[in-house]
Amino acid sequence: AYRQRFGEGEIDPVKLAAVRGDFYTEFVRAASALVRSRGKKLQVHLHAEAFRPELTFGQQHGMPVNIEFQWRRWIEEGLVDEVHLRTSWFEAAEDPLGAAETSKSKLSNALADPIVNDMLAVAQQHQLPVTLNRYIGRAAALPEYLDDIVRAQQDGRIDRFDVYEYFDVAQASPDKPGLTPKGERLAGLKARWSQIQSG
């Protein structure tokens, strides 16, 4: 496919990534058609840390760099019904838990990122609901994380908040049935949710 489009000669990695991206977009088209034929909605995960032109820590460690993820094209072609947005993937490596100051994991910084703003703007333009994914077990301390839920609710561009991962909220125990809360996270989430519900 690369040779058909660009001919012979040395392979340009950026052009090769675009060719592979076209094949991936074909997969998204097929998946969208199949999902919708079953009366369901297609939600795509947009990784603001990984779907960007410059190489980042998260992209380097978690995403293939030889494929162009054409997220804007998926939305503009109407293949997507919902967006699941992750602003950072490996913030614990950059903002160690317990550090005096967080930067990568701070929601205000994440929402100021140009790629994040672009993704939110495109989703808004196409009236797609956005779920914000935030790690609860990473760098941000619990009070800051609970405040993030309110910040996301007040943002206007974000419709839902994904508390991720539940393993960091409660875990199964071999000693007793049910789930055992991990630290104060579950109680904190319940209390903050009650506050939000009461207005």
Side-chain angles (χ1 to χ4, degrees), residues 189-199:
L189 287 166
K190 286 181 176 180
R192 185 56 56 95
W193 180 245
S194 294
Q195 289 175 3
I196 290 170
Q197 292 294 94
S198 63

Side-chain angles (χ1 to χ4, degrees), residues 79-180:
L79 305 176
V80 175
D81 300 299
E82 298 180 2
V83 166
H84 197 93
L85 176 64
R86 179 176 287 177
T87 60
S88 182
W89 212 351
F90 289 93
E91 68 266 21
E94 294 149 335
D95 286 340
L97 189 60
E101 177 70 21
T102 58
S103 176
K104 187 73 172 175
S105 58
K106 193 175 287 296
L107 185 58
S108 57
N109 292 344
L111 293 178
D113 177 73
I115 300 291
V116 171
N117 276 300
D118 194 23
M119 289 177 166
L120 287 169
V122 172
Q124 242 187 343
Q125 181 185 352
H126 293 270
Q127 300 178 335
L128 300 178
V130 175
T131 300
L132 178 65
N133 172 278
R134 297 284 284 165
Y135 286 100
I136 193 168
R138 294 285 178 91
L142 182 61
E144 181 182 342
Y145 188 89
L146 297 175
D147 289 344
D148 285 349
I149 296 173
V150 177
R151 285 188 195 96
Q153 180 195 32
Q154 295 171 344
D155 184 89
R157 302 169 296 173
I158 298 165
D159 302 279
R160 294 183 283 266
F161 191 97
D162 175 21
V163 176
Y164 189 79
E165 301 168 291
Y166 199 80
F167 175 84
D168 288 314
V169 175
Q171 298 173 4
S173 169
D175 305 327
K176 55 185 177 180
L179 296 171
T180 302

Side-chain angles (χ1 to χ4, degrees), residues 36-51:
R36 289 168 168 180
S37 74
R38 304 286 174 90
K40 305 294 182 184
K41 293 181 179 180
L42 183 73
Q43 181 189 80
V44 294
H45 287 221
L46 300 186
H47 292 264
E49 185 178 45
F51 294 3

Side-chain angles (χ1 to χ4, degrees), residues 10 22-24 27 50 64 73 75 80 82 85 154 156 189:
E10 186 176 347
D22 288 344
F23 279 108
Y24 194 87
F27 160 75
R73 187 172 170 190
I75 292 173
V80 175
E82 298 180 2
L85 176 64
Q154 295 171 344
L189 287 166

